[in-house]
Amino acid sequence: MRSWPAPDPTSLPGNGALPGRGPRVRLHDTAAGALVPVGPDSGTASLYVCGITPYDATHLGHANTYVAFDLLGRAWRDAGLDVRYVQNVTDVDDPLLERAEATGVDWRELAHSQVELFREDMSALSVVPPERYLGVVEAVDLVSGAVRELLAAGAAYRVPGTGGGPDGDVYFPVAADPSFGSVGGYDRATMLALSAERGGDPQRPGKRDPLDPLLWRVQRPGEPAWEAGELGRGRPGWHIECTAIALEHLGMPVDVQGGGSDLVFPHHEMGAAHAHLLRPASRPFARAYAHSGMVALDGEKMSKSKGNLVLVSRLRAAGVDPAVVRLAIVSHHWRSDWEWTDEVLRQARERFARWSAAVGQPSGPSAEGLLAAVRERLADDLDAPGAVAAVDAWVQAQSATGGDDTAAPELVRRTVTALLGVSLR
Ligand code: 5CA
Ligand code: ZN
């Protein structure tokens, strides 16, 4: 699948846009419950971020997640690393098919139109595109191959049909992975509750463990399906999709597996368990599991199923500068839960205007300390609000006392563009 146009390469770190280099990046790893260094000392860092299920894209919650991992990619580049980034599109799954059915739109068309909007939004938000952007539809053979491998390894089993359903849905036995549970660290009661809430089927009869997730769903009447050898016609379960794509296009372990905090369990826990059985010698699946906070609207998590959405495309259509939207996002810590309000947008607009005016001046206070401060803040668990505060302080000093460094305004502009991804006007 086509990704989206990249920002101007000369605006990115690591291309001579900024003098010197940033420090090694440390990030909060959900599995360790602590900050860990992420990415190698030199060479290429690998990143897999879970992509959208393409209906009702792109809301501010999605944008928050992809901007968070874009900050990581920029910090890595600034530290001298190359970045190999892969993202999926869940373009076949129950919620997408249900929405298509409910609205009378062909599921392929729905997915196509929403992916198109997502691309435009990501590009408008200056998010550096993944090197590989893959839908499940185009990765079906890869995913069914992984399911067959698990069956051959004894790490998958078939379940008889119930309630008139066909025989042969394939499930993964969570008991097969001795480290199952280590990503989220949840107790069993919590795992059962989250599984029921987030696409699992703990009530399904015939499973060895209620937590066991679906790997392959045999075709039901009217559902899309693909031939998959001994698995029969059907479609992939959700978690195995990301595992199969990540193993094929990044290899294992990946440096960072990312997504929103609603993916810790079951999605990332199950994805890791699948990988541990597929490539036992290369454990763990990821060196770090990183989870961005949830964006809410009117006190509730913004979600497609609830319909309480602020869409990036609607803001753009209403004339809001996407760089202002990005500034509003990076003014919040990537791991914190926060609420989108008109006030958040108003403050970002004002800050953007102050910053733009400041970098348009012929001179200002020296900005080398600012560049070092922004780098230091971002390398410390992507503390973008700390970096924003450092820029605020420079802008404040410039308007209060000014300065005679004629290179400073341009250096501030480049710092903000390259590291925060916010292009000032
Ligand atoms: N296709 C799957 C991942 S394989 C999926 O979760 N799709 S999604 O469209 O529901 O979400 C896409 C990404 O946005 C995920 O990383 C998810 O964690 C994140 N996300 C969803 N809602 C929010 C929210 N309200 N705030 C922050 N991030 C969110
Ligand atoms: Zn995923």
Side-chain angles (χ1 to χ4, degrees):
M1 202 177 266
R2 214 164 26 89
S3 62
W4 52 90
D8 171 5
T10 63
S11 74
L12 296 177
N15 278 342
L18 298 173
R21 254 189 196 183
R24 180 126 194 242
V25 184
R26 296 190 320 145
L27 201 63
H28 185 270
D29 170 23
T30 304
L35 294 195
V36 297
V38 286
D41 284 329
S42 61
T44 303
S46 60
L47 173 65
Y48 185 92
V49 179
C50 284
I52 56 165
T53 304
Y55 66 102
D56 283 349
T58 312
H59 63 61
L60 253 302
H62 300 138
N64 185 60
T65 291
Y66 301 111
V67 166
F69 292 101
D70 187 59
L71 291 174
L72 173 62
R74 286 168 185 267
W76 268 342
R77 286 183 177 85
D78 191 45
L81 300 179
D82 292 323
V83 180
R84 187 160 167 85
Y85 179 18
V86 176
Q87 188 182 126
N88 68 308
V89 184
T90 309
D91 55 4
V92 189
D93 201 13
D94 295 344
L96 171 77
L97 298 174
E98 283 159 18
R99 171 63 65 88
E101 173 90 29
T103 53
V105 181
D106 182 87
W107 62 275
R108 280 158 293 222
E109 259 169 52
L110 176 60
H112 179 80
S113 64
Q114 295 302 302
V115 170
E116 201 50 48
L117 262 184
F118 178 71
R119 283 195 191 100
E120 286 169 15
D121 291 335
M122 289 298 107
S123 171
L125 290 170
S126 300
V127 172
V128 178
E131 218 169 291
R132 292 277 167 150
Y133 189 49
L134 256 96
V136 189
V137 171
E138 55 191 346
V140 156
D141 289 346
L142 190 65
V143 182
S144 60
V147 176
R148 285 193 299 269
E149 262 184 67
L150 286 170
L151 265 175
Y157 63 97
R158 291 190 167 94
V159 170
T162 45
D167 287 337
D169 288 346
V170 181
Y171 280 81
F172 175 82
V174 293
D177 179 17
S179 58
F180 176 74
S182 61
V183 174
Y186 292 120
D187 59 36
R188 195 170 158 86
T190 307
M191 289 199 265
L192 281 166
L194 288 175
S195 162
E197 201 182 300
R198 299 177 179 165
D201 55 1
Q203 305 296 342
R204 166 143 192 185
K207 295 204 292 178
R208 292 182 192 162
D209 184 320
L211 290 174
D212 290 352
L214 179 73
L215 289 168
W216 187 258
R217 177 175 162 94
V218 174
Q219 183 174 25
R220 298 337 190 235
E223 287 190 5
W226 291 262
E227 268 323 320
E230 60 177 294
L231 303 176
R233 281 181 69 78
R235 61 182 164 97
W238 174 27
H239 320 300
I240 188 67
E241 149 198 352
C242 286
T243 307
I245 292 175
L247 293 190
E248 173 75 10
H249 294 286
L250 291 173
M252 188 169 144
V254 299
D255 285 309
V256 172
Q257 150 80 313
S261 61
D262 57 342
L263 297 187
V264 176
F265 194 92
H267 189 51
H268 290 173
E269 193 74 64
M270 299 303 177
H274 296 338
H276 296 161
L277 271 293
L278 284 166
R279 303 276 183 279
S282 310
R283 291 158 170 256
F285 172 54
R287 294 193 171 97
Y289 298 87
H291 294 103
S292 54
M294 290 291 114
V295 180
L297 184 70
D298 302 327
E300 277 203 274
K301 174 194 160 190
M302 212 178 267
S303 77
K304 293 175 287 202
S305 47
K306 293 200 194 92
N308 57 337
L309 307 177
V310 176
L311 300 183
V312 174
S313 50
R314 280 208 203 120
L315 290 174
R316 291 198 288 123
V320 179
D321 186 336
V324 170
V325 176
R326 180 151 175 147
L327 184 54
I329 291 172
V330 301
S331 303
H332 297 85
H333 194 277
W334 72 285
R335 284 196 293 117
S336 67
D337 295 336
W338 56 281
E339 175 132 359
W340 179 264
T341 60
D342 291 344
E343 180 58 17
V344 165
L345 183 58
R346 193 187 62 75
Q347 283 182 13
R349 254 199 200 109
E350 286 182 10
R351 178 174 272 133
F352 188 81
R354 282 196 306 275
W355 287 13
S356 293
V359 301
Q361 300 298 312
S363 69
S366 161
E368 274 147 36
L370 169 65
L371 171 57
V374 167
R375 280 180 158 148
E376 190 271 325
R377 284 297 78 226
L378 288 172
D380 180 12
D381 198 22
L382 305 176
D383 177 15
V388 166
V391 179
D392 275 344
W394 183 89
V395 168
Q396 172 65 28
Q398 200 208 34
S399 73
T401 50
D404 54 12
D405 185 338
T406 52
E410 180 57 20
L411 183 57
V412 176
R413 179 196 296 278
R414 284 174 180 232
T415 301
V416 169
T417 305
L419 298 177
L420 292 176
V422 175
S423 308
L424 299 173
R425 301 290 167 229

